[in-house]
Amino acid sequence: MLFGRTRKNPITLPKREVTNWVYTTCGYCSTGCSIEVGVNGQGEAVTSRGVGSADVNRGKLCIKGIFEHELFYSKNRGTRPLLRQQTHTPFQETTWDQALDHTSLEIKRIQQTYGRDSFAIVSTGQLMTEEFYTLGKLARGVIGTNNYDGNTTLCMASAVSGYKRSFGSDGPPGCYDDFSHTECLLAFGSNLPEQHPIIYWRLRQALEKRKFPVIVVDPRVTMFAQFADMHLPITPGTDVVLLNSLAHVILQEGLADMRYIAAHTSGHEEFSALVAQYNPVMAAKICGIDEDTIRNVARLYAKANAAMSIWTMGINQSTHGSDGVVAINNLNLITGNIGKPGGTSLSITGQCNAMGTREWSSCSGLPGYRLLENAQDRQEIADFWGVDPEFFPKKRGLFQTDIFPAIETGQIKGLWLVATNPMTSMPNTGRIRKTLEKLEFLVVQDNYSDVETTEYAHVYLPASIWAEKEGVMTNTERRVNVIRNVLKPYADSKPDLWIFNQMARRFAGGQKIKFPETAPKVFDEMRTLSKGRFLDISGMTHDLIETNRGIQWPMTQGAATGTPRLYSDGRFNHPDRKAKLIALPFIDNNERPDTDYPFWMNSGRVIEHFHTRTRTGKLGNLNKFSPTPYMEMNPDAAHALGVAHMSYVRIVSRRGDAVVMVQLTHRVPRDMVFIPFHFHECVNRVSLGLLDPYSRQPAFKQCAVRVESMSQQAAAVLNLAARSF
Ligand SMILES: Nc1nc2c(c(=O)[nH]1)N[C@H]1C(S)=C(S)[C@@H](COP(=O)(O)OP(=O)(O)OC[C@H]3O[C@@H](n4cnc5c(=O)[nH]c(N)nc54)[C@H](O)[C@@H]3O)O[C@H]1N2
Ligand SMILES: Nc1nc2c(c(=O)[nH]1)N[C@H]1C(S)=C(S)[C@@H](COP(=O)(O)OP(=O)(O)OC[C@H]3O[C@@H](n4cnc5c(=O)[nH]c(N)nc54)[C@H](O)[C@@H]3O)O[C@H]1N2
Ligand code: SF4
Ligand SMILES: [Mo]
């Protein structure tokens, strides 16, 4: 008798005859895996594989990388530029010349009518570095708006700000190899196995060779927490209190590295006086981690010969994001754990090239970590580009999260969105919708014509995706890796570099300044501008980068290799060459659960999806794992409300509501729900996103909601309605 699957059609694997493997780098997360894309005799990309000789991934890829070649053929790629005079009327297909002419005329009209800064540009962490540099030249040197920033404000701004405050410069000091040397790992608000699977795999490799304690601080029992030796389920938003208390114990028990503190830091006295107030008994009441555990972790960390901390969005996306980063740096400074093998303060970056935009995009300043506030930096770039230094503003303009409120109040009238989707990714999207509707002119430049923001756009520019282009990206450990061109641009889409260059030509300033047409030529400009600087890349070329499977900056001209660690000599980038120990008083300003809204709403990611699903939502091999907006809820809390597993509920906050399917799990405590943020019209309809005072990054991870059970029929209707807006 035949049973089950034997009756069904057998699974057949497609035949993949690869004639050519092309070297490239993954375009999703910041791990920076080297990929080879297999191309067949007909010139089609048919498969992807990890590069065995690449130090980062050593032949491995996560589920997103394995299917990355499918992106080339994914649905709803933009085929031609689209244009319309008014939103909510049908778009007309148009030529590149017309789309670019119209856009440049609108930019000029808005700037002439309302002032130069009334036109804003919001970019991303997902272009090639050469594209970032070119967009920066266009924004700063030609168009001349000071309201130019990136979505990295949602992502890495707190890490940047914290590094600058502590060390005098941005730039993560450590690397993945530190796992092989450390004796204690402390991870804050990072779900490494799902969000950086290959970095996690590097950690596992190190642990197989040599056991050391792994301690995860996260209010949720993440996959990382499950694999850790200790899990500290912290009260949301209170990491600074825990960190101050760890420092308290280390100083009080004489476990600090006083020699390192005296030689390489300033501010010790004020810092010690502040942490003296954070004894573990008092801290436990705020951060929810008991006194014994605090003392135990402090001793483990301080007594290890080398100890390291990593963190991601649980720290950065907080009203104390920048302070959280500084607090982690404080911990590493007082224990002498900076710039030594296994001893570091390593921010795990988010997007594939969030580092590249920090280094070269001019979003927060000028290229190569130069500052608008510094006259010599302005002069150097003005001379190099051939512009008047007075054309540059003397202070950075609005952060991305301040640009939208400035649209609300009429200060900004026109916007260019490049590779970012704020209608899904910004907090409180109801407010974002109103701002986009208020714009006189919106241009959206994206791989996909169905990206939600096009609904509000006047012009849509179809950009080529990933390895239809070429250029470099910098990963979490400062490794510059190269994306080689695999396929020619899809339909009539164009590489972002081409689009920026064509736009430049349409401005008088852009005709005077040189805009090199190819990525290697742009890279040459960056190399020249990097000479002698902290992020020196003058020793690199695209070819050398490919040969080495990525090189870590700095690498000066003539050097044999890159540099795995920064600050190994204990000399930092503040004028006195010391790192700062900074006192961090804690003020609790989060929206907390109360009787009307009794749950913390936490949000984040799952392994199979990337951000707003414009890409992973279109690949069956990824989307099938979670095609529906859902929420993790504790079974006890659900029972009390009569909410069943796999039923739909309505979550409500003071901003808005959303419909999600319930997944009952003990991953979340009784007073918390967790929602992946990948879905449109979902978590960010509800989120608050209070801003960090230094970095202006939103606290996506903390707000208060209530959960309403509802008739499943009504839920289905609402769910559909919400999605069709
Ligand atoms: N699969 C996948 N991988 C990705 C991405 C993706 O979309 N999908 N995106 C990339 C990007 S841009 C980024 S920024 C990274 C993000 O990578 P992660 O930061 O690792 O991912 P998240 O899920 O956003 O948040 C991490 C954790 O922060 C915790 N958290 C919430 N509040 C607090 C708190 O108050 N304190 C502490 N200590 N923890 C808290 C959450 O419970 C969550 O488990 O991932 C990158 N990698
Ligand atoms: N509630 C909540 N909200 C969050 C977060 C959270 O944890 N919780 N995390 C925040 C974080 S850390 C981040 S990084 C943001 C991400 O937020 P977004 O950047 O808005 O999200 P993406 O979906 O990555 O949008 C990138 C867009 O660029 C397009 N794109 C990709 N490559 C290219 C290219 O080469 N050229 C062009 N022109 N377009 C391209 C994609 O199709 C996509 O539409 O979301 C933030 N929002
Ligand atoms: S870990 Fe990140 S870089 Fe590596 S394959 Fe996965 S998504 Fe790409
Ligand atoms: Mo991010």
Side-chain angles (χ1 to χ4, degrees):
M1 202 202 287
L2 289 172
F3 290 105
R5 290 200 72 85
T6 47
R7 284 175 188 275
K8 301 211 173 127
N9 296 335
I11 294 170
T12 52
L13 290 174
K15 218 170 164 191
R16 286 177 176 154
E17 281 165 1
V18 173
T19 53
N20 187 21
W21 290 99
V22 186
Y23 181 89
T24 178
T25 306
C26 178
Y28 286 114
C29 90
S30 72
T31 303
C33 297
S34 295
I35 296 191
E36 280 174 341
V37 178
V39 181
N40 69 11
Q42 289 80 55
E44 295 155 346
V46 287
T47 189
S48 305
R49 68 179 184 194
V51 177
S53 53
D55 185 56
V56 167
N57 52 314
R58 305 172 185 182
K60 295 261 189 298
L61 291 176
C62 82
I63 187 173
K64 292 182 295 309
I66 288 169
F67 294 111
E68 204 153 352
H69 60 280
E70 293 185 0
L71 280 178
F72 296 123
Y73 312 105
S74 49
K75 265 206 259 164
N76 297 343
R77 290 282 312 276
T79 52
R80 303 209 34 205
L82 304 174
L83 182 67
R84 62 184 168 191
Q85 297 304 325
Q86 264 185 332
T87 52
H88 306 302
T89 60
F91 270 120
Q92 305 295 324
E93 285 194 348
T94 183
T95 62
W96 275 100
D97 271 340
Q98 272 180 338
L100 292 165
D101 284 347
H102 181 73
T103 303
S104 63
L105 286 174
E106 278 296 276
I107 297 175
K108 288 177 201 167
R109 177 187 68 77
I110 287 172
Q111 288 192 310
Q112 274 156 19
T113 319
Y114 306 105
R116 252 168 57 173
D117 295 337
S118 63
F119 187 81
I121 304 174
V122 172
S123 141
T124 178
Q126 298 173 48
L127 300 182
M128 319 276 167
T129 313
E130 292 85 347
E131 295 173 331
F132 283 134
Y133 171 78
T134 305
L135 176 59
K137 197 194 268 189
L138 176 63
R140 295 274 178 224
V142 175
I143 295 176
T145 173
N146 199 11
N147 293 326
Y148 160 51
D149 197 24
N151 70 354
T152 36
T153 297
L154 308 181
C155 181
M156 302 315 299
S158 295
V160 174
S161 151
Y163 275 143
K164 285 186 178 166
R165 287 165 72 200
S166 297
F167 305 146
S169 171
D170 185 18
C175 57
Y176 308 153
D177 183 53
D178 284 319
F179 296 138
S180 307
H181 303 278
T182 197
E183 292 185 4
C184 183
L185 177 85
L186 196 46
F188 294 88
S190 158
N191 188 11
L192 215 57
E194 290 206 62
Q195 270 66 86
H196 300 89
I198 302 298
I199 305 184
Y200 178 67
W201 173 74
R202 289 284 305 268
L203 170 64
R204 291 293 289 230
Q205 261 201 333
L207 280 165
E208 275 166 22
K209 295 196 179 119
R210 192 179 44 82
K211 183 71 192 106
F212 53 87
V214 173
I215 304 158
V216 169
V217 184
D218 196 307
R220 192 173 150 242
V221 191
T222 57
M223 204 182 279
F224 201 7
Q226 283 171 307
F227 293 143
D229 299 295
M230 289 176 76
H231 172 216
L232 276 49
I234 194 162
T235 302
T238 63
D239 296 76
V240 172
V241 175
L242 172 66
L243 280 151
N244 277 346
S245 194
L246 292 173
H248 173 102
V249 176
I250 291 168
L251 290 173
Q252 194 202 31
E253 298 192 1
L255 300 173
D257 185 341
M258 297 314 288
R259 194 203 54 81
Y260 191 91
I261 293 174
H264 304 299
T265 71
S266 65
H268 177 233
E269 273 171 30
E270 202 188 325
F271 172 73
S272 306
L274 188 277
V275 298
Q277 299 166 26
Y278 286 78
N279 71 64
V281 179
M282 167 273 204
K285 294 201 174 92
I286 304 173
C287 72
I289 308 300
D290 66 83
E291 178 192 352
D292 264 354
T293 303
I294 295 178
R295 289 193 187 280
N296 187 19
V297 171
R299 289 170 194 150
L300 273 173
Y301 204 83
K303 286 181 184 170
N305 286 315
M308 65 187 283
S309 317
I310 60 171
W311 75 91
T312 320
M313 290 307 128
I315 291 288
N316 289 356
Q317 290 173 347
S318 151
T319 53
H320 308 95
S322 173
D323 278 358
V325 174
V326 170
I328 291 171
N329 295 338
N330 284 341
L331 175 71
N332 288 303
L333 288 168
I334 62 167
T335 52
N337 278 307
I338 296 290
K340 77 178 189 198
T344 195
S345 207
L346 181 63
S347 138
I348 305 291
T349 314
Q351 304 165 82
C352 53
N353 202 19
M355 282 290 293
T357 191
R358 283 148 71 172
E359 296 154 10
W360 291 103
S361 72
S362 309
C363 272
S364 63
L366 289 167
Y369 285 164
R370 287 178 177 84
L371 302 174
L372 283 164
E373 292 77 6
N374 180 319
Q376 193 191 329
D377 287 354
R378 292 197 303 271
Q379 189 68 50
E380 275 175 21
I381 296 299
D383 291 346
F384 192 80
W385 286 348
V387 298
D388 179 355
E390 287 306 310
F391 190 66
F392 295 142
K394 298 188 176 61
K395 218 170 138 243
R396 84 170 276 183
L398 296 176
F399 287 70
Q400 184 223 11
T401 42
D402 292 313
I403 284 177
F404 291 92
I407 299 171
E408 200 168 42
T409 53
Q411 190 187 334
I412 287 172
K413 303 283 189 187
L415 177 65
W416 184 2
L417 290 175
V418 184
T420 187
N421 184 11
M423 269 311 297
T424 304
S425 61
M426 283 286 283
N428 196 356
T429 45
R431 189 173 174 198
I432 301 299
R433 180 197 315 283
K434 277 196 226 150
T435 63
L436 294 186
E437 280 181 338
K438 210 170 164 183
L439 285 167
E440 287 187 13
F441 182 68
L442 172 66
V443 48
V444 168
Q445 179 170 329
D446 202 284
N447 302 142
Y448 294 96
S449 56
D450 65 351
V451 61
E452 286 85 17
T453 43
T454 47
E455 219 169 300
Y456 308 88
H458 300 84
V459 173
Y460 165 72
L461 304 175
S464 306
I465 207 166
W466 186 46
E468 289 171 357
K469 314 187 282 178
E470 63 176 352
V472 299
M473 293 190 175
T474 311
N475 78 352
T476 290
E477 55 170 4
R478 286 169 289 103
R479 191 180 295 271
V480 182
N481 211 340
V482 65
I483 290 177
R484 296 293 198 180
N485 177 238
V486 176
L487 290 190
K488 65 177 185 10
Y490 176 76
D492 198 17
S493 70
K494 297 286 184 194
D496 296 272
L497 181 64
W498 183 91
I499 300 173
F500 300 142
N501 280 345
Q502 293 298 315
M503 190 71 87
R505 287 189 192 173
R506 286 164 165 82
F507 289 81
Q511 289 156 13
K512 285 190 220 128
I513 305 180
K514 222 172 85 207
F515 276 84
E517 280 179 12
T518 66
K521 285 196 178 134
V522 180
F523 190 75
D524 279 342
E525 284 201 8
M526 290 155 41
R527 288 173 63 197
T528 310
L529 280 173
S530 79
K531 269 196 190 127
R533 294 191 69 82
F534 193 49
L535 45 48
D536 199 324
I537 51 167
S538 58
M540 301 182 196
T541 62
H542 280 195
D543 287 345
L544 202 60
I545 294 169
E546 178 176 337
T547 309
N548 286 276
R549 277 59 179 115
I551 303 175
Q552 287 164 287
W553 65 251
M555 183 189 184
T556 50
Q557 196 150 24
T561 56
T563 314
R565 293 175 188 88
L566 302 177
Y567 310 120
S568 296
D569 59 358
R571 286 166 68 74
F572 293 87
N573 288 346
H574 285 300
D576 62 0
R577 304 312 299 265
K578 291 190 169 183
K580 282 191 178 142
L581 285 171
I582 302 173
L584 304 163
F586 176 76
I587 302 150
D588 187 357
N589 59 351
N590 275 314
E591 181 184 64
R592 289 177 147 267
D594 56 21
T595 42
D596 291 337
Y597 300 93
F599 292 95
W600 285 105
M601 189 185 76
N602 185 357
S603 66
R605 300 157 160 77
V606 292
I607 188 165
E608 60 272 21
H609 279 307
F610 193 80
H611 291 176
T612 68
R613 280 167 80 241
T614 58
R615 286 181 273 176
T616 52
K618 298 192 179 89
L619 306 186
N621 283 317
L622 301 175
N623 196 45
K624 68 182 174 197
F625 291 104
S626 45
T628 310
Y630 72 92
M631 168 175 95
E632 292 181 355
M633 187 178 195
N634 184 289
D636 295 338
H639 183 73
L641 288 175
V643 167
H645 185 53
M646 301 290 276
S647 67
Y648 283 101
V649 292
R650 178 170 175 246
I651 42 161
V652 189
S653 77
R654 290 181 179 84
R655 273 75 49 197
D657 65 350
V659 177
V660 288
M661 182 189 270
V662 172
Q663 299 278 329
L664 295 188
T665 168
H666 284 102
R667 275 184 156 205
V668 280
R670 206 182 157 137
D671 64 346
M672 176 181 287
V673 293
F674 175 84
I675 309 180
F677 92 96
H678 306 293
F679 303 92
H680 183 54
E681 298 293 3
C682 188
V683 67
N684 282 330
R685 282 167 67 96
V686 177
S687 60
L688 168 61
L690 280 182
L691 299 181
D692 177 277
Y694 296 93
S695 67
R696 312 300 288 156
Q697 183 160 347
F700 281 114
K701 303 274 188 259
Q702 287 98 31
C703 76
V705 296
R706 72 168 174 263
V707 176
E708 291 177 2
S709 62
M710 59 192 305
S711 104
Q712 296 307 289
Q713 221 171 355
V717 173
L718 266 175
N719 203 19
L720 274 178
R723 242 153 293 287
S724 67
F725 271 123

